[in-house]
């Protein structure tokens, strides 16, 4: 085969569906249901990706006119993404209940025989929607502990981060990528629009043990704890790069690939932190741990070891490359 023939016939790669089938045996306690659930999430991601790409053409950017449970103004695409993911998970039949950032209470799907529950932020980084900056979806999957055939309960969602059976995110940017883990490493799949498929593009993703990027909202620095201020000053003294776009998924993804640290400390306005434990911090902590990094709160408690008490509980959040995280903790102490 000559070079031109090779270019024409080069393999397109492993699809998400094929990857899931090849790795079904690695899913604990699963007999196909978790595989189907991941496919349902991928389907919703494709639909949301389409909506985002045409947002400026059909007037679905801007504020929706209501606030969510967090007291944040909902954007139109927040509501659209929430509807799309809920619909896909309901129709898939594997999920008994959903917790969403956009809704106050548990969403009952009617699939009481479903073995799983999902916590999700349907569209992270809403403030960036109108300015065409990367946004994302974050999700966390648990195997329910209440009896099959009954509606899910609060305790199904409050099992703690160590009980996640899978977690991941979708980043809608220059390319759309789905990154997830099921306890056996982190893998990324890039969406190929013309074929309508996610293809394996990042195998066994590992976070560099060190980095030169720090990501935080410098506008809040006056309210940061002294230890965090000292750490940031040291980062500047070393001429590290400041990179922060206000989309948690986008900042996390960049630092995961290149090495770095993301900081959302407590402030006077938000003493308990701002990010939500169940559907933002738990899933990203689950991913970074399997990629070789760390995630903890202001008292150096591993995020996955925090005992949850409420569906929309908040926490300070530090996540990133292991050496940078170790150094941050010496300053916080």
């Amino acid at each position: 085969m000559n070079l031109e023939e090779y270019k024409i016939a080069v393999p397109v790669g492993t699809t998400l569906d094929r990857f899931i089938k090849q790795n079904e045996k690695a899913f604990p306690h699963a007999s196909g249901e978790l595989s189907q659930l991941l496919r349902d999430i991928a389907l919703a991601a494709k639909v949301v990706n389409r909506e985002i790409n045409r947002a400026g053409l059909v007037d679905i950017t801007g504020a929706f006119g209501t606030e969510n449970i967090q007291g944040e103004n909902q954007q139109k695409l927040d509501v659209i993404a929430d509807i799309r993911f809920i619909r896909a998970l309901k129709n898939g039949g594997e999920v008994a209940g959903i917790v969403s950032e956009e809704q106050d209470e548990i969403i009952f799907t009617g699939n009481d025989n479903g073995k799983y529950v999902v916590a999700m932020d349907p569209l992270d980084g809403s403030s960036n929607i109108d300015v065409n900056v990367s946004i994302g979806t974050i999700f966390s999957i648990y195997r329910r502990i209440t009896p099959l055939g009954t509606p899910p309960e609060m305790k199904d969602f409050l099992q703690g981060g160590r009980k996640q059976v899978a977690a991941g995110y979708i980043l809608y940017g220059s390319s759309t990528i789905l990154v997830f883990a099921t306890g056996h490493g982190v893998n990324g799949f890039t969406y190929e629009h013309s074929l309508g498929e996610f293809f394996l593009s990042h195998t066994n993703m590992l976070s560099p043990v060190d980095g030169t990027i720090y990501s935080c909202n410098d506008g809040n620095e006056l309210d940061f704890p002294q230890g965090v201020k000292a750490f940031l000053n040291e980062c500047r003294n070393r001429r590290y790069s400041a990179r922060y776009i206000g989309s948690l998924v986008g900042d996390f993804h960049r630092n995961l690939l290149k090495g770095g640290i993301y900081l959302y400390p407590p402030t006077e306005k938000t003493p308990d932190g701002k990010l939500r434990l169940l559907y933002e911090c738990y899933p990203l902590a689950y991913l970074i741990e399997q990629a070789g990094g760390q995630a903890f709160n202001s008292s150096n408690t591993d995020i996955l070891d925090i005992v949850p008490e409420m569906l929309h509980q908040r926490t300070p959040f530090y996540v990133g490359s292991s050496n940078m995280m170790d150094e941050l903790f010496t300053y916080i102490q």
Side-chain angles (χ1 to χ4, degrees):
M1 181 182 293
N2 61 38
L3 180 60
E4 290 304 314
E5 289 175 328
Y6 176 78
K7 287 180 178 179
I8 294 172
V10 64
V12 293
T14 302
T15 65
L16 173 64
D17 192 61
R18 181 177 296 172
F19 178 88
I20 290 173
K21 287 180 179 178
Q22 290 173 347
N23 290 274
E24 272 188 350
K25 292 181 180 179
F27 298 160
H29 312 298
S31 55
E33 295 93 344
L34 183 57
S35 301
Q36 182 58 49
L37 173 48
L38 291 170
R39 294 188 189 98
D40 296 335
I41 289 173
L43 173 61
K46 294 176 186 179
V47 177
V48 171
N49 177 75
R50 182 196 65 186
E51 303 289 2
I52 291 169
N53 286 341
R54 68 193 186 107
L57 300 175
V58 293
D59 191 27
I60 54 176
T61 59
F64 185 65
T66 59
E67 292 185 347
N68 61 18
I69 182 61
Q70 319 299 332
E72 300 165 341
N73 291 325
Q74 287 182 308
Q75 303 295 307
K76 293 175 184 176
L77 277 172
D78 279 326
V79 178
I80 289 171
D82 193 45
I83 291 170
R84 295 302 189 188
F85 273 94
I86 290 171
R87 185 175 295 165
L89 294 174
K90 280 184 176 180
N91 292 341
E94 311 300 343
V95 176
I98 304 164
V99 165
S100 168
E101 181 194 23
E102 303 302 328
Q103 303 201 31
D104 300 9
E105 305 294 338
I106 296 172
I107 302 158
F108 299 99
T109 64
N111 304 318
D112 290 344
N113 285 314
K115 294 181 179 179
Y116 297 96
V117 296
V118 171
M120 67 176 183
D121 181 351
L123 205 60
D124 163 72
S126 301
S127 61
N128 286 322
I129 291 172
D130 290 348
V131 292
N132 205 25
V133 173
S134 298
I135 50 182
T137 298
I138 312 174
F139 62 90
S140 177
I141 302 172
Y142 295 86
R143 187 176 175 88
R144 62 182 296 188
I145 56 177
T146 50
L148 296 183
T150 65
E153 300 176 20
M154 189 85 71
K155 59 185 177 181
D156 289 312
F157 296 92
L158 301 183
Q159 298 181 53
R162 297 284 176 198
K163 295 294 185 179
Q164 294 175 102
V165 297
Y169 61 84
I170 302 106
L171 177 65
Y172 311 100
S174 55
S175 59
T176 295
I177 181 169
L178 165 62
V179 177
F180 73 89
T182 58
H184 302 275
V186 182
N187 293 281
F189 300 78
T190 299
Y191 186 54
E192 212 294 325
H193 292 261
S194 64
L195 297 176
E197 292 279 3
F198 281 99
F199 287 91
L200 181 62
S201 55
H202 298 71
T203 306
N204 192 26
M205 300 169 72
L206 296 174
S207 171
V209 296
D210 219 330
T212 58
I213 297 173
Y214 65 96
S215 308
C216 69
N217 186 348
D218 270 335
N220 292 330
E221 186 180 2
L222 291 177
D223 294 328
F224 288 169
Q226 285 302 125
V228 175
K229 290 181 183 179
F231 174 79
L232 293 175
N233 283 334
E234 181 60 25
C235 289
R236 297 184 188 106
N237 290 337
R238 296 177 186 175
R239 303 297 191 267
Y240 285 178
S241 298
R243 297 286 184 269
Y244 182 76
I245 59 174
S247 288
L248 176 57
V249 169
D251 285 314
F252 177 87
H253 183 71
R254 178 195 55 246
N255 293 354
L256 173 63
L257 294 179
K258 295 189 174 183
I261 187 169
Y262 177 94
L263 310 91
Y264 212 113
T267 63
E268 184 177 335
K269 183 180 178 181
T270 57
D272 295 325
K274 185 180 179 182
L275 299 179
R276 275 66 57 148
L277 182 63
L278 259 67
Y279 41 80
E280 290 178 322
C281 301
Y282 273 163
L284 298 187
Y286 183 83
L287 290 170
I288 200 68
E289 183 176 277
Q290 293 186 49
Q294 301 179 48
F296 55 69
N297 64 6
S298 294
S299 60
N300 197 35
T301 301
D302 191 309
I303 290 295
L304 296 178
D305 292 328
I306 297 176
V307 178
E309 299 175 354
M310 299 178 293
L311 294 179
H312 300 284
Q313 184 173 331
R314 298 175 187 260
T315 182
F317 189 52
Y318 309 98
V319 60
S321 300
S322 57
N323 287 351
M324 298 184 78
M325 293 290 288
D326 288 339
E327 184 174 4
L328 170 63
F329 180 61
T330 63
Y331 281 93
I332 291 178
Q333 281 184 310

